[in-house]
Amino acid sequence: GNKSQDSGIAEMEELPVPHNIKISNITCDSFKISWDMNSKSKDRITHYFIDLNKKENKNSNKFKHKDVPTKLVAKAVPLPMTVRGHWFLSPRTEYTVAVQTASKQVDGDYVVSEWSEIIEFCTADYSKVHLTQLLEKAEVIAGRMLKLSVFYRNQHKEYFDYIREHHGNAMQPSVKDNSGSHGSPISGKLEGIFFSCNTEFNTGKPPQDSPYGRYRFEVAAEKLFNPNTNLYFGDFYCMYTAYHYVILVIAPVGSPGDEFCKQRLPQLNIKDNKFLTCDEEDGVMVYHHAQDVILEVIYTDPVDLSLGTVAEITGHQLMSLSTANAKKDPSCKTCNISVGR
């Protein structure tokens, strides 16, 4: 019996164990949590202990977060309770959470209940508010505007052969990979076709080098980008390099891609923005792009090869410039916002 006298909790009723945990109002870096508990000794609860952990995937570095406390000690506030800011919650990430109730003693120690069951949830993508913060950061470094006349897409010869044989000559949208910001709402969801539009400073033409294959489809800018299309800001990132990428989405008005973007992405004025503009001068469409960022343009509808030309490029294949599934540098001050990493 000595043990229980030492701990001073022999006569105490056990604290209620949280059950039926509910997670709601999930954003990319916060959530609300509530639970049920029986009313017995409820009035003795002074604090909640919340244990939050990233759901381990097999390849993740098990020791990375050993020094980061995962337990949050919170005052017993009315439920649901909002959890934010105590952890760097990452967007689009799976977590496990468990709760116990606690009673702070006179000597500062806590008496605690058993742990609740463990439940899992996944944080959300960046909202339009977060993307607008990214957009504002991108605008700061976009640089002056240069003229362009074409959009282009590099691929291997086999790709274009396949399109001709199996898709009736039309390049098909495919689901965007996971490159760029971890919280990007278009990754793994938006379907589109990637185009480039950057020009060489001295020639005003597309560069002769490309990381994506020796064959290039080139199409007049107005065929893809005109007053019948909407323009959206999709992402801003770098990959441990000096240069930055901006992803823009061009969607024909009223198309499925347009509907997808309207819900999730900040829309840009096609005549007046810092990245890619389309305006009429003397009855002719004139196009400009930002000089100091690399633009990746996603077009959300199929594109027929007959709208442009396919030809071999003379330059090199610079694989180092490829952005396929590239991870964003989380420490870059230029292109990260302060919400979930």
Side-chain angles (χ1 to χ4, degrees), residues 21 28 56 70 74-75 84 93 129 132 152 183 190 220-221 226 241 309 319 322:
I21 294 175
C28 69
E56 289 289 356
T70 56
K75 282 229 159 65
R84 74 149 56 83
T93 303
V129 172
T132 301
Y152 56 96
L190 177 69
N226 53 58
T241 50
T309 56
M319 291 318 292
S322 168

Side-chain angles (χ1 to χ4, degrees), residues 15-19 21 23 31 33-35 37 44-53 69-77 79 81 83 86-87 96-105 108-118:
L15 288 169
V17 181
H19 59 96
I21 294 175
I23 303 283
F31 61 91
I33 185 166
S34 65
W35 57 83
M37 46 194 168
R44 288 188 24 239
I45 298 170
T46 61
H47 291 76
Y48 306 135
F49 287 4
I50 298 175
D51 188 27
L52 183 79
N53 291 287
T70 56
K71 281 194 190 62
L72 167 71
V73 179
K75 282 229 159 65
V77 294
L79 299 176
M81 178 177 111
V83 177
H86 307 283
W87 287 281
T96 60
V97 66
V99 202
Q100 47 184 190
T101 57
S103 173
K104 195 169 189 176
Q105 307 299 288
D109 276 351
Y110 290 94
V111 176
V112 293
S113 72
E114 300 280 317
W115 280 107
S116 70
E117 77 269 30
I118 294 171

Side-chain angles (χ1 to χ4, degrees), residues 219-245:
V219 59
E222 66 225 42
K223 295 268 169 66
L224 300 189
F225 186 35
N226 53 58
N228 299 319
T229 53
N230 282 328
L231 181 69
Y232 297 91
F233 172 82
D235 201 2
F236 177 43
Y237 70 101
C238 73
M239 305 174 298
Y240 305 90
T241 50
Y243 40 88
H244 277 83
Y245 294 86

Side-chain angles (χ1 to χ4, degrees), residues 63-318:
F63 301 101
K64 209 160 45 187
H65 297 301
K66 276 278 186 281
D67 52 341
V68 179
T70 56
K71 281 194 190 62
L72 167 71
V73 179
K75 282 229 159 65
V77 294
L79 299 176
M81 178 177 111
T82 299
V83 177
R84 74 149 56 83
H86 307 283
W87 287 281
F88 286 122
L89 281 170
S90 300
R92 203 186 272 211
T93 303
E94 294 189 324
Y95 289 92
T96 60
V97 66
V99 202
Q100 47 184 190
T101 57
S103 173
K104 195 169 189 176
Q105 307 299 288
V106 187
D107 61 6
D109 276 351
Y110 290 94
V111 176
V112 293
S113 72
E114 300 280 317
W115 280 107
S116 70
E117 77 269 30
I118 294 171
I119 65 156
E120 299 177 3
F121 71 99
C122 187
T123 46
D125 295 332
Y126 283 158
S127 67
K128 266 194 199 174
V129 172
H130 300 120
L131 286 169
T132 301
Q133 291 172 19
L134 263 188
L135 162 63
E136 287 163 0
K137 298 199 92 168
E139 287 174 338
V140 172
I141 69 150
R144 66 175 206 181
M145 304 290 275
L146 300 176
K147 263 193 178 170
L148 76 124
S149 57
V150 297
F151 290 106
Y152 56 96
R153 172 174 174 80
N154 276 66
Q155 281 286 354
H156 301 285
K157 183 175 182 298
E158 295 76 24
Y159 169 83
F160 292 111
D161 291 345
Y162 186 86
I163 293 300
R164 291 185 188 101
E165 282 169 43
H166 300 274
H167 288 296
N169 218 35
M171 295 187 287
Q172 300 300 313
S174 58
V175 176
K176 187 197 165 298
D177 69 7
N178 285 314
S179 58
S181 300
H182 191 55
S184 166
I186 59 178
S187 291
K189 293 181 184 171
L190 177 69
E191 294 191 8
I193 306 170
F194 259 111
F195 285 92
S196 302
C197 65
N198 292 70
T199 53
E200 286 191 313
F201 187 66
N202 47 358
T203 65
K205 290 187 163 49
Q208 277 303 319
D209 304 318
S210 165
Y212 300 111
R214 298 203 57 81
Y215 283 77
R216 174 173 291 172
F217 171 73
E218 243 179 56
V219 59
E222 66 225 42
K223 295 268 169 66
L224 300 189
F225 186 35
N226 53 58
N228 299 319
T229 53
N230 282 328
L231 181 69
Y232 297 91
F233 172 82
D235 201 2
F236 177 43
Y237 70 101
C238 73
M239 305 174 298
Y240 305 90
T241 50
Y243 40 88
H244 277 83
Y245 294 86
V246 167
I247 297 179
L248 301 174
V249 184
I250 297 176
V253 173
S255 66
D258 191 34
E259 293 308 312
F260 178 95
C261 295
K262 241 190 201 72
Q263 313 291 319
R264 298 169 180 83
L265 305 180
Q267 188 170 346
L268 302 173
N269 177 343
I270 65 170
K271 292 183 177 184
D272 180 23
N273 68 78
K274 293 275 199 282
F275 310 108
L276 181 66
T277 60
C278 145
D279 210 352
E280 204 176 308
E281 291 176 19
D282 304 325
V284 182
M285 296 307 262
V286 180
Y287 293 86
H288 288 87
H289 72 87
Q291 171 188 317
D292 294 338
V293 290
I294 298 175
L295 294 179
E296 298 184 301
V297 177
I298 299 177
Y299 186 79
T300 63
D301 269 12
V303 175
D304 201 290
L305 294 179
S306 64
L307 289 175
T309 56
V310 176
E312 192 169 1
I313 57 169
T314 55
H316 302 285
Q317 252 187 272
L318 304 173

